[in-house]
Amino acid sequence: MRKTIRILLAAGCFAGTLAAEPAKFTPHEYVSADGTKINAELGEFNVPENRTKPDSRAITLRFVRFKSTTAKPGHPIVYLAGGPGGSGIEALRGTRFPLAMALREFGDVIAYDQRGINRSGPDMRCNEQYMMPFDKPLDRALGGPIVAAAARKCVERLRATGVDVGAYNTRESAADLEDLRKALGAEKLILWGISYGTHLSIATLRYQPQTVDKVILAGIEGPDDTYKLPSDQQILIEEIARLAAHDGKTPDLVASIRNVLRELEARPKTVSLTHPLMGMTANVVLGKLDLQVALADMLTAPDSFAGMPDFVARLEKGDWTSLALLVAQRRMGDPGSAMSLAMDCASGISASRKALIADEAKRTLLGDAINAPFPEICAGLDIPDAGDDFRAPLVSNVRALLISGTLDGRTRPRQADELRRTLPNAEHLVIEGAGHSDPLFLSTPKILEAMKAFLRGEPLRERYVTAPPVTFIPIRKVASVSDDVLARYAGNYRIDDKTVRRVVKAGSVLYTVRGNNPPLAIRPSSETEFFYETNSGSVVFELDAKGNVTAMVVTQANGQKDRAPRIQSQP
């Protein structure tokens, strides 16, 4: 015991030595996704990789600081990205950039990269590939160990290079935020987190309470919310079914899903697909779990589930290719980021929640598909579990603004309500009709108004605000088009001076490929009109009087149209 105490004290002294140095800053031109340029600062500071080990090496964490626009700034506002595995520096380049700029009214805004991501710490991306069998329906007992083996190889490679993979956990990241506070010379921090960023914020409130002045948390992932509840997915599907029934074209989505699941369970389907880039052909066998996983993937936000009624309706009519195109993507790939895996494996699950999930999985449409490939992927990674004290309810008096969307399939409003029970100074803003990610911040201007009011110390004026209604993709039909006609469209099309979109025929399916982006399947609604399988976008091929293909017109999901003249036919 005394030896353990000495080790912990030594680790604490070591951590303090590293954190004593102020952050180093260099001028930095930050460029947003829309091309806006702003003068900022790139900051960095050092922390121990593993604070439980006195001989731990140091890693460097980085962030971008946007200076406050007020003469008397308050505490720094630190943006914590979701994932785990999202980059704060990169996330704020996109649609959330205006929010970050607006919040400078209250203090410096920090776009922060958590350990193991982007500019902070070691590169923890996994390039180890896995491939599940294509000739059998998806099965967790068979596929789980295959994905786990690839993850294990990645972790072993990183450990061989000196990376302490087990140190990439939420408790260490919470300690990083205390060191960030010290490196900034700040009295307190304001944490602004989304999804996993809220999970990290909660841990920081628990273990580093001296760090935090107040928090803005959107899409709450509570201490024991890493594994999702099947009942939450069931409730959302039933709500989607209710909304989709309004147009009269989708009378009972739940019944349709149940019918297709029964059909796949009784009679798995086989679809032949050819990879559009590698050229290999495989017979993909589809089963019940394949559809459950595909539907669970859609349950994020309205823009991802807007095509669900169309997708299910076509499956009921026998368009199994639509499911095979999604399934093929899941059967091969890499484990992603070892940082992300380590964080989730460490956060783990309590015994009571594990039992609840197992029970709910027996009585819900999608079962436990939302959690795949967890817990299987954690096998053999040797990631220490954070423990039940980490997953216990948080008790804190810190002021908190909690933001939830009623159509969020990843972090349900009830999770914010549960957190609020032990946070007496928390208020909950519910956005009717909003899904996960951007809608939690951007679906209505009232969200930013509420955030600003909260930072001014004002109470929440409206507890409920409304996002724009869901626009479902109409039910579509796949036309029968000959391979000869499909082959006619293959080739290159010029979008602009720098960009070419390729059309590739692979088997009996056409794909569009823009630059280095993944191929996207397009399905025929007539001989010249096609729709994207994954969204509401469409493609129309233009022909001259002789029937030669002259151009393609692409309509994006957002309505934008691009006409691309043909420049070369496919050999």
Side-chain angles (χ1 to χ4, degrees), residues 186-474:
E187 180 186 356
K188 298 273 187 179
L189 300 177
I190 296 171
L191 302 183
W192 170 29
I194 184 167
S195 196
Y196 170 78
T198 71
H199 190 71
L200 172 54
S201 298
I202 290 165
T204 307
L205 285 170
R206 186 192 306 277
Y207 298 114
Q208 308 291 341
Q210 72 283 357
T211 300
V212 187
D213 176 60
K214 56 179 71 74
V215 295
I216 298 174
L217 306 180
I220 311 303
E221 183 181 313
D224 197 15
D225 287 342
T226 299
Y227 287 70
K228 313 307 177 191
L229 295 182
S231 59
D232 283 338
Q233 312 306 304
Q234 182 73 22
I235 290 168
L236 182 55
I237 283 183
E238 291 172 358
E239 176 63 10
I240 293 169
R242 185 186 68 79
L243 294 171
H246 284 174
D247 62 7
K249 297 177 182 178
T250 310
D252 194 340
L253 179 61
V254 172
S256 294
I257 291 173
R258 187 175 288 112
N259 289 339
V260 179
L261 287 171
R262 286 171 178 166
E263 174 65 18
L264 286 169
E265 186 173 29
R267 289 169 288 276
K269 310 302 176 185
T270 301
V271 176
S272 178
L273 287 182
T274 300
H275 195 285
L277 299 182
M278 295 185 287
M280 65 179 188
T281 299
N283 287 327
V284 183
V285 180
L286 311 171
K288 178 181 178 181
L289 182 58
D290 289 298
L291 179 56
Q292 289 176 314
V293 170
L295 294 176
D297 285 346
M298 294 180 185
L299 291 177
T300 300
D303 61 351
S304 63
F305 64 65
M308 186 182 291
D310 164 56
F311 175 67
V312 173
R314 285 189 283 117
L315 290 179
E316 272 198 299
K317 294 177 181 178
D319 179 21
W320 302 111
T321 299
S322 61
L323 177 58
L325 289 166
L326 298 182
V327 165
Q329 298 175 18
R330 297 277 308 210
R331 297 284 178 95
M332 56 192 296
D334 61 55
S337 163
M339 175 273 194
S340 177
L341 293 176
M343 291 283 177
D344 279 343
C345 292
S347 289
I349 183 171
S350 66
S352 59
R353 190 175 181 89
K354 185 176 181 179
L356 178 61
I357 289 174
D359 180 59
E360 290 186 353
K362 300 172 186 175
R363 351 182 226 99
T364 49
L365 280 174
L366 304 188
D368 188 24
I370 188 68
N371 292 313
F374 289 86
E376 294 90 346
I377 200 169
C378 298
L381 298 187
D382 194 25
I383 303 296
D385 184 82
D388 283 341
D389 64 325
F390 174 89
R391 293 183 286 265
L394 169 73
V395 179
S396 174
N397 290 318
V398 166
R399 286 192 64 232
L401 173 62
L402 313 180
I403 304 173
S404 299
T406 60
L407 297 181
D408 182 344
R410 294 297 179 264
T411 53
R412 303 293 293 149
R414 64 150 190 88
Q415 294 169 217
D417 288 334
E418 289 174 3
L419 181 65
R420 193 180 175 207
R421 290 172 192 159
T422 50
L423 270 64
N425 294 316
E427 297 180 287
H428 187 192
L429 175 65
V430 178
I431 310 163
E432 299 279 0
H436 200 57
S437 196
D438 268 0
L440 297 176
F441 290 137
L442 303 173
S443 54
T444 167
K446 291 185 177 182
I447 302 170
L448 178 57
E449 292 174 12
M451 291 167 64
K452 286 185 172 183
F454 171 77
L455 293 174
R456 286 193 294 265
E458 300 170 6
L460 194 62
R461 295 191 186 99
E462 297 179 83
R463 187 182 169 192
Y464 294 92
V465 298
T466 303
V470 182
T471 302
F472 287 100
I473 295 174

